[in-house]
Amino acid sequence: MKLPWRSVGPEDGPDAGWLVRDGQVLASVEVAVGRVAKARGLLGRDHLEGALVIPGRRSVHTFSMGFELDVAFLDAEGTVIRTLRLRRHRATLPVWQARWVVEAEAGAFGEWELKVGDSLEIELASDRADGGTDHGGAGSDDR
């Protein structure tokens, strides 16, 4: 399945899967779907295994969060257009070209060697369970 750029999973809960670059799984991923899940983000957590992907975001914050984040802003094709380290109790300025945000614990992007220009994909666990193996591309027409 090609993601981002369509609604997935239950209306107010995350869908799980894998963050993929060039066919290589970088990390497990949760996709925040629905208004409640997007608003909640990582609030109330003291760590994050893998990454959280939030569709439709151009900025993020770490107010009331217990840890620093690595943040990647993705364009409509799933290409990383900006990365940064966001300390606690801070907010980013909007990245107007961004259509999705990937958040991970600080240091994760270094481990994954994630950089501007990388093209990311999301493979949902539900697709794998259905026998799907297409990693697709972020600019999918699947809806």
Side-chain angles (χ1 to χ4, degrees):
M1 166 163 299
K2 297 178 178 182
L3 282 180
W5 322 185
R6 72 171 184 87
S7 296
V8 296
E11 177 55 30
D12 286 319
D15 203 349
W18 295 270
L19 187 64
V20 178
R21 177 188 58 212
D22 297 327
Q24 176 186 10
V25 174
L26 300 177
S28 61
V29 68
E30 296 175 31
V31 181
V33 179
R35 194 176 51 206
V36 172
K38 289 178 184 179
R40 185 181 322 114
L42 296 172
L43 292 175
R45 298 192 197 188
D46 59 5
H47 73 284
L48 172 64
E49 296 289 330
L52 177 69
V53 175
I54 308 173
R57 289 288 184 251
R58 293 186 169 118
S59 65
V60 297
H61 69 84
T62 55
F63 300 120
S64 302
M65 292 191 51
F67 54 97
E68 294 182 356
L69 294 178
D70 282 346
V71 179
F73 295 92
L74 281 62
D75 68 10
E77 300 301 317
T79 302
V80 177
I81 56 175
R82 183 170 181 212
T83 63
L84 57 92
R85 172 78 45 90
L86 191 59
R87 295 184 313 188
R88 294 179 61 207
H89 311 296
R90 301 283 191 266
T92 67
L93 293 172
V95 177
W96 296 112
Q97 303 86 357
R99 296 297 176 265
W100 288 59
V101 171
V102 177
E103 298 180 342
E105 277 200 44
F109 289 1
E111 292 175 23
W112 305 341
E113 299 178 359
L114 186 72
K115 61 190 179 309
V116 171
D118 285 353
S119 181
L120 300 180
E121 305 164 353
I122 299 168
E123 179 181 336
L124 295 178
S126 58
D127 291 337
R128 185 166 281 192
D130 293 338
T133 57
D134 177 21
H135 289 257
S140 169
D141 289 332
D142 294 348
R143 299 194 194 267

